[in-house]
mmCIF file of all heavy atoms in Angstrom:
data_model
loop_
_atom_site.group_PDB
_atom_site.id
_atom_site.type_symbol
_atom_site.label_atom_id
_atom_site.label_comp_id
_atom_site.label_asym_id
_atom_site.label_seq_id
_atom_site.Cartn_x
_atom_site.Cartn_y
_atom_site.Cartn_z
ATOM 1 N N ARG A 10 0.838 -1.211 0.000
ATOM 2 C CA ARG A 10 0.000 0.000 0.000
ATOM 3 C C ARG A 10 0.871 1.259 0.000
ATOM 4 O O ARG A 10 0.511 2.289 0.575
ATOM 5 C CB ARG A 10 -0.971 -0.009 1.192
ATOM 6 C CG ARG A 10 -1.851 -1.236 1.213
ATOM 7 C CD ARG A 10 -2.797 -1.272 2.391
ATOM 8 N NE ARG A 10 -2.123 -1.441 3.672
ATOM 9 C CZ ARG A 10 -1.617 -2.583 4.124
ATOM 10 N NH1 ARG A 10 -1.650 -3.670 3.372
ATOM 11 N NH2 ARG A 10 -1.043 -2.648 5.309
ATOM 12 N N ALA A 11 2.017 1.155 -0.630
ATOM 13 C CA ALA A 11 2.954 2.273 -0.689
ATOM 14 C C ALA A 11 2.453 3.323 -1.676
ATOM 15 O O ALA A 11 2.107 2.990 -2.810
ATOM 16 C CB ALA A 11 4.335 1.783 -1.102
ATOM 17 N N PRO A 12 2.426 4.581 -1.290
ATOM 18 C CA PRO A 12 1.986 5.635 -2.213
ATOM 19 C C PRO A 12 3.065 6.036 -3.214
ATOM 20 O O PRO A 12 2.857 6.927 -4.025
ATOM 21 C CB PRO A 12 1.653 6.793 -1.266
ATOM 22 C CG PRO A 12 2.569 6.589 -0.095
ATOM 23 C CD PRO A 12 2.718 5.100 0.069
ATOM 24 N N ALA A 13 4.214 5.396 -3.162
ATOM 25 C CA ALA A 13 5.350 5.783 -3.987
ATOM 26 C C ALA A 13 5.148 5.396 -5.448
ATOM 27 O O ALA A 13 4.355 4.515 -5.782
ATOM 28 C CB ALA A 13 6.626 5.134 -3.451
ATOM 29 N N VAL A 14 5.896 6.057 -6.326
ATOM 30 C CA VAL A 14 5.933 5.699 -7.742
ATOM 31 C C VAL A 14 6.869 4.499 -7.896
ATOM 32 O O VAL A 14 8.056 4.592 -7.561
ATOM 33 C CB VAL A 14 6.427 6.871 -8.601
ATOM 34 C CG1 VAL A 14 6.580 6.451 -10.065
ATOM 35 C CG2 VAL A 14 5.464 8.050 -8.491
ATOM 36 N N PRO A 15 6.392 3.353 -8.391
ATOM 37 C CA PRO A 15 7.244 2.171 -8.501
ATOM 38 C C PRO A 15 8.123 2.196 -9.745
ATOM 39 O O PRO A 15 7.656 2.468 -10.848
ATOM 40 C CB PRO A 15 6.234 1.014 -8.567
ATOM 41 C CG PRO A 15 4.974 1.622 -9.090
ATOM 42 C CD PRO A 15 4.972 3.064 -8.676
ATOM 43 N N VAL A 16 9.402 1.912 -9.533
ATOM 44 C CA VAL A 16 10.377 1.803 -10.621
ATOM 45 C C VAL A 16 11.111 0.481 -10.445
ATOM 46 O O VAL A 16 11.554 0.153 -9.345
ATOM 47 C CB VAL A 16 11.388 2.963 -10.608
ATOM 48 C CG1 VAL A 16 12.422 2.795 -11.719
ATOM 49 C CG2 VAL A 16 10.686 4.312 -10.727
ATOM 50 N N THR A 17 11.253 -0.278 -11.521
ATOM 51 C CA THR A 17 11.995 -1.534 -11.495
ATOM 52 C C THR A 17 13.256 -1.394 -12.330
ATOM 53 O O THR A 17 13.193 -0.958 -13.475
ATOM 54 C CB THR A 17 11.153 -2.694 -12.063
ATOM 55 O OG1 THR A 17 9.958 -2.825 -11.299
ATOM 56 C CG2 THR A 17 11.919 -4.002 -12.013
ATOM 57 N N PHE A 18 14.401 -1.739 -11.729
ATOM 58 C CA PHE A 18 15.620 -1.862 -12.512
ATOM 59 C C PHE A 18 15.786 -3.337 -12.821
ATOM 60 O O PHE A 18 15.965 -4.168 -11.931
ATOM 61 C CB PHE A 18 16.840 -1.349 -11.754
ATOM 62 C CG PHE A 18 18.118 -1.446 -12.559
ATOM 63 C CD1 PHE A 18 18.427 -0.482 -13.500
ATOM 64 C CD2 PHE A 18 18.989 -2.518 -12.383
ATOM 65 C CE1 PHE A 18 19.589 -0.576 -14.262
ATOM 66 C CE2 PHE A 18 20.147 -2.618 -13.140
ATOM 67 C CZ PHE A 18 20.452 -1.646 -14.078
ATOM 68 N N THR A 19 15.697 -3.691 -14.111
ATOM 69 C CA THR A 19 15.733 -5.089 -14.504
ATOM 70 C C THR A 19 16.915 -5.353 -15.425
ATOM 71 O O THR A 19 16.948 -4.899 -16.560
ATOM 72 C CB THR A 19 14.393 -5.531 -15.137
ATOM 73 O OG1 THR A 19 14.534 -6.848 -15.679
ATOM 74 C CG2 THR A 19 13.898 -4.567 -16.189
ATOM 75 N N TRP A 20 17.889 -6.053 -14.889
ATOM 76 C CA TRP A 20 19.083 -6.396 -15.632
ATOM 77 C C TRP A 20 18.836 -7.671 -16.446
ATOM 78 O O TRP A 20 17.807 -8.321 -16.310
ATOM 79 C CB TRP A 20 20.267 -6.547 -14.677
ATOM 80 C CG TRP A 20 19.979 -7.321 -13.432
ATOM 81 C CD1 TRP A 20 19.425 -6.854 -12.272
ATOM 82 C CD2 TRP A 20 20.193 -8.719 -13.223
ATOM 83 N NE1 TRP A 20 19.293 -7.863 -11.357
ATOM 84 C CE2 TRP A 20 19.762 -9.032 -11.907
ATOM 85 C CE3 TRP A 20 20.724 -9.740 -14.000
ATOM 86 C CZ2 TRP A 20 19.833 -10.313 -11.373
ATOM 87 C CZ3 TRP A 20 20.800 -11.031 -13.473
ATOM 88 C CH2 TRP A 20 20.366 -11.296 -12.175
ATOM 89 N N ALA A 21 19.818 -8.056 -17.269
ATOM 90 C CA ALA A 21 19.580 -9.099 -18.268
ATOM 91 C C ALA A 21 19.699 -10.508 -17.684
ATOM 92 O O ALA A 21 20.707 -11.190 -17.847
ATOM 93 C CB ALA A 21 20.543 -8.941 -19.440
ATOM 94 N N SER A 22 18.656 -10.941 -17.011
ATOM 95 C CA SER A 22 18.558 -12.328 -16.559
ATOM 96 C C SER A 22 17.856 -13.143 -17.647
ATOM 97 O O SER A 22 16.861 -12.698 -18.215
ATOM 98 C CB SER A 22 17.757 -12.412 -15.260
ATOM 99 O OG SER A 22 17.398 -13.742 -14.972
ATOM 100 N N ARG A 23 18.357 -14.334 -17.914
ATOM 101 C CA ARG A 23 17.745 -15.186 -18.928
ATOM 102 C C ARG A 23 16.536 -15.952 -18.392
ATOM 103 O O ARG A 23 15.836 -16.623 -19.157
ATOM 104 C CB ARG A 23 18.771 -16.179 -19.480
ATOM 105 C CG ARG A 23 19.715 -15.545 -20.502
ATOM 106 C CD ARG A 23 20.695 -16.562 -21.054
ATOM 107 N NE ARG A 23 21.477 -15.974 -22.150
ATOM 108 C CZ ARG A 23 22.649 -16.451 -22.563
ATOM 109 N NH1 ARG A 23 23.178 -17.506 -21.975
ATOM 110 N NH2 ARG A 23 23.286 -15.869 -23.556
ATOM 111 N N GLY A 24 16.277 -15.876 -17.096
ATOM 112 C CA GLY A 24 15.125 -16.582 -16.557
ATOM 113 C C GLY A 24 15.249 -18.084 -16.679
ATOM 114 O O GLY A 24 14.297 -18.769 -17.037
ATOM 115 N N ASP A 25 16.434 -18.600 -16.362
ATOM 116 C CA ASP A 25 16.710 -20.029 -16.508
ATOM 117 C C ASP A 25 17.559 -20.463 -15.320
ATOM 118 O O ASP A 25 18.623 -19.895 -15.060
ATOM 119 C CB ASP A 25 17.456 -20.277 -17.822
ATOM 120 C CG ASP A 25 17.646 -21.755 -18.132
ATOM 121 O OD1 ASP A 25 17.721 -22.562 -17.190
ATOM 122 O OD2 ASP A 25 17.734 -22.097 -19.325
ATOM 123 N N ALA A 26 17.101 -21.489 -14.591
ATOM 124 C CA ALA A 26 17.802 -21.940 -13.396
ATOM 125 C C ALA A 26 19.205 -22.448 -13.678
ATOM 126 O O ALA A 26 20.030 -22.539 -12.775
ATOM 127 C CB ALA A 26 16.987 -23.031 -12.697
ATOM 128 N N LEU A 27 19.501 -22.793 -14.934
ATOM 129 C CA LEU A 27 20.819 -23.290 -15.283
ATOM 130 C C LEU A 27 21.752 -22.195 -15.803
ATOM 131 O O LEU A 27 22.851 -22.489 -16.261
ATOM 132 C CB LEU A 27 20.700 -24.401 -16.338
ATOM 133 C CG LEU A 27 19.865 -25.616 -15.933
ATOM 134 C CD1 LEU A 27 19.894 -26.660 -17.029
ATOM 135 C CD2 LEU A 27 20.364 -26.206 -14.620
ATOM 136 N N GLN A 28 21.318 -20.939 -15.718
ATOM 137 C CA GLN A 28 22.108 -19.824 -16.241
ATOM 138 C C GLN A 28 22.624 -18.925 -15.112
ATOM 139 O O GLN A 28 22.693 -17.707 -15.240
ATOM 140 C CB GLN A 28 21.264 -19.004 -17.220
ATOM 141 C CG GLN A 28 20.891 -19.744 -18.485
ATOM 142 C CD GLN A 28 22.065 -19.913 -19.428
ATOM 143 O OE1 GLN A 28 22.981 -19.104 -19.445
ATOM 144 N NE2 GLN A 28 22.055 -20.985 -20.213
ATOM 145 N N TYR A 29 23.016 -19.537 -14.005
ATOM 146 C CA TYR A 29 23.444 -18.775 -12.832
ATOM 147 C C TYR A 29 24.660 -17.898 -13.146
ATOM 148 O O TYR A 29 24.691 -16.720 -12.785
ATOM 149 C CB TYR A 29 23.771 -19.735 -11.684
ATOM 150 C CG TYR A 29 24.114 -19.055 -10.383
ATOM 151 C CD1 TYR A 29 23.116 -18.725 -9.463
ATOM 152 C CD2 TYR A 29 25.431 -18.738 -10.067
ATOM 153 C CE1 TYR A 29 23.428 -18.100 -8.269
ATOM 154 C CE2 TYR A 29 25.752 -18.107 -8.876
ATOM 155 C CZ TYR A 29 24.746 -17.797 -7.984
ATOM 156 O OH TYR A 29 25.064 -17.169 -6.797
ATOM 157 N N VAL A 30 25.661 -18.467 -13.814
ATOM 158 C CA VAL A 30 26.874 -17.699 -14.100
ATOM 159 C C VAL A 30 26.578 -16.560 -15.070
ATOM 160 O O VAL A 30 27.057 -15.430 -14.887
ATOM 161 C CB VAL A 30 27.979 -18.618 -14.650
ATOM 162 C CG1 VAL A 30 29.195 -17.803 -15.069
ATOM 163 C CG2 VAL A 30 28.381 -19.650 -13.594
ATOM 164 N N TYR A 31 25.783 -16.835 -16.105
ATOM 165 C CA TYR A 31 25.403 -15.776 -17.044
ATOM 166 C C TYR A 31 24.689 -14.645 -16.300
ATOM 167 O O TYR A 31 24.998 -13.462 -16.493
ATOM 168 C CB TYR A 31 24.487 -16.334 -18.131
ATOM 169 C CG TYR A 31 23.919 -15.260 -19.040
ATOM 170 C CD1 TYR A 31 24.614 -14.819 -20.162
ATOM 171 C CD2 TYR A 31 22.673 -14.670 -18.769
ATOM 172 C CE1 TYR A 31 24.105 -13.819 -20.979
ATOM 173 C CE2 TYR A 31 22.158 -13.679 -19.589
ATOM 174 C CZ TYR A 31 22.874 -13.255 -20.691
ATOM 175 O OH TYR A 31 22.361 -12.267 -21.486
ATOM 176 N N ASP A 32 23.728 -14.999 -15.448
ATOM 177 C CA ASP A 32 22.996 -13.976 -14.712
ATOM 178 C C ASP A 32 23.913 -13.171 -13.801
ATOM 179 O O ASP A 32 23.802 -11.935 -13.715
ATOM 180 C CB ASP A 32 21.882 -14.626 -13.876
ATOM 181 C CG ASP A 32 20.605 -14.834 -14.663
ATOM 182 O OD1 ASP A 32 20.657 -14.833 -15.911
ATOM 183 O OD2 ASP A 32 19.532 -15.010 -14.031
ATOM 184 N N ASN A 33 24.824 -13.847 -13.119
ATOM 185 C CA ASN A 33 25.740 -13.145 -12.231
ATOM 186 C C ASN A 33 26.597 -12.148 -13.004
ATOM 187 O O ASN A 33 26.799 -11.003 -12.567
ATOM 188 C CB ASN A 33 26.627 -14.162 -11.506
ATOM 189 C CG ASN A 33 27.512 -13.511 -10.457
ATOM 190 O OD1 ASN A 33 28.666 -13.196 -10.713
ATOM 191 N ND2 ASN A 33 26.968 -13.304 -9.271
#
């Protein structure tokens, strides 16, 4: 219930459990 303006910083994750090193 935050009145703040939401901003997401989204870096390049491949969304794959086997891509840990790539995501890091």
Side-chain angles (χ1 to χ4, degrees):
R10 303 179 292 284
V14 175
V16 178
T17 301
F18 181 81
T19 172
W20 44 276
S22 167
R23 281 181 173 159
D25 187 331
L27 301 183
Q28 294 287 331
Y29 185 89
V30 175
Y31 173 87
D32 274 19
N33 186 264

